[in-house]
Amino acid sequence: MNVSQLRTFLTVIEHGSFSAAARALSVSQPAVTMQIQSLESDLGATLLDRRQRGVRLTEAGQELRPIAQRVLDELEDARTRIEALEDRVTGRLLLAASTTPGQYVLPGIIGAFLAQYPEVSAALTIGDSAQVVDAVESETAALGVVGAQLKGARVEYERIGSDDLVIIGPPNDPIVAGDPVTIESVAEEPIIMRELGSGTRLVTEQMFPAASIEPGDLPVVMELGSSEAVVNAVEGGMGIGVVSRLVAEKAISLGTVAVVPLRRPEMSRPLFAVIGRGTPTRAARAFLDMLRDRMEDATRLETPAGGA
């Protein structure tokens, strides 16, 4: 039994004959006959008696008629409800982000999103890049934002912007006061690293192989779980560290840390939206659209006129 058979059955009853039902459904009369015969075969009962002036419902047909009508009415109601959903963004939006985008990029965008879609509630979990990807992969988060792609993850990545990185050191350290230095000089300094799995650490370690320096040979004096902790350790004179400029901006302006000048272009890392492979919710789709727009606007404002 299927919906097409039930619709044909009700159409025959409504129009009083197989030929009239065929015209109403824009199909051939044999097609109508086949649908009714197939339905009767599925149910093991005769539903319609053919007469010279039309058809008559059998006892089985009388039992089926209200049921068939109810099924079609409920399907139409479901269609209407689902179509209406496309015009509304509701529900709970679960997001995950690595430290820098989670603390410095997403909060303002989430605020604007909730103002535009008041029927949505949102929650943001902050972890390292590996934890964010795992949350999206396991569907405990609808969407994530990270600063590095992890190989082998069953997610989709979409680049949405970039995050400028700086090497910072204590303001009285000679490395911040002189001429631009090489990566080799940086590798001789005590280094404060983010923890394994951090996007910032992945980008930091990628700087050194180009200078024939293995990350395992670096003089790492401490590993810390947040970029703010790295800034604090640098302020305490424990070494130099690589962090997002967004994180270090306040300390730089206060003069408690200084930027180490490098003989290479400014470092930056891409920011990626992490998207699950399942069907996203309406709220997740709407948030991703706003995220793209806001990050595109930010990139356009940061790029000098005529610059690339």
Side-chain angles (χ1 to χ4, degrees), residues 1 4 22-23 55-56 61 79 84 90 94 104 136 141 143-144 171 206 215 234 241 253 257 270 285 297-298 307:
M1 184 190 308
S4 180
R23 289 192 295 272
V55 296
R56 182 180 69 85
R79 184 190 304 276
T90 62
L94 302 178
Y104 294 91
V136 175
L143 192 69
Q206 289 167 3
V234 172
S253 65
V257 302
R285 290 199 304 268
D297 290 344

Side-chain angles (χ1 to χ4, degrees), residues 5 9 13 19 30 32 59 71 95-96 98 102 108 119-120 136 144-145 167 184-185 193 202 234 257 267 269 295 299:
Q5 292 170 347
F9 170 67
I13 297 170
S19 57
V32 172
E59 184 177 10
V71 169
L95 301 169
S98 54
E119 294 185 75
V120 176
V136 175
V145 179
I167 302 176
E184 289 84 355
S185 297
M193 279 280 197
L202 290 174
V234 172
V257 302
M267 297 180 297
R269 62 172 179 171
M295 296 303 293
T299 301

Side-chain angles (χ1 to χ4, degrees), residues 55-184:
V55 296
R56 182 180 69 85
L57 284 169
T58 65
E59 184 177 10
Q62 290 172 354
E63 287 291 328
L64 178 63
R65 182 178 187 176
I67 297 171
Q69 188 63 61
R70 186 162 61 249
V71 169
L72 294 184
D73 288 346
E74 289 181 355
L75 285 173
E76 185 60 31
D77 181 59
R79 184 190 304 276
T80 301
R81 288 172 179 266
I82 291 171
E83 289 175 350
L85 286 176
E86 295 302 318
D87 299 326
R88 295 177 61 205
V89 178
T90 62
R92 185 159 176 78
L93 177 63
L94 302 178
L95 301 169
S98 54
T99 308
T100 299
Q103 293 183 346
Y104 294 91
V105 177
L106 289 187
I109 298 175
I110 293 172
F113 179 79
L114 296 179
Q116 182 171 338
Y117 300 105
E119 294 185 75
V120 176
S121 63
L124 172 63
T125 300
I126 296 177
D128 62 34
S129 296
Q131 291 170 328
V132 172
V133 170
D134 182 65
V136 175
E137 201 172 48
S138 63
E139 300 184 355
T140 55
L143 192 69
V145 179
V146 295
Q149 293 176 291
L150 302 185
K151 294 180 179 179
R154 296 186 299 276
V155 296
E156 303 294 334
Y157 292 97
E158 177 183 329
R159 182 165 181 170
I160 55 171
S162 61
D163 176 29
D164 291 334
L165 299 177
V166 291
I167 302 176
I168 57 172
N172 58 353
D173 192 313
I175 196 171
V176 307
D179 295 329
V181 299
T182 63
I183 289 295
E184 289 84 355

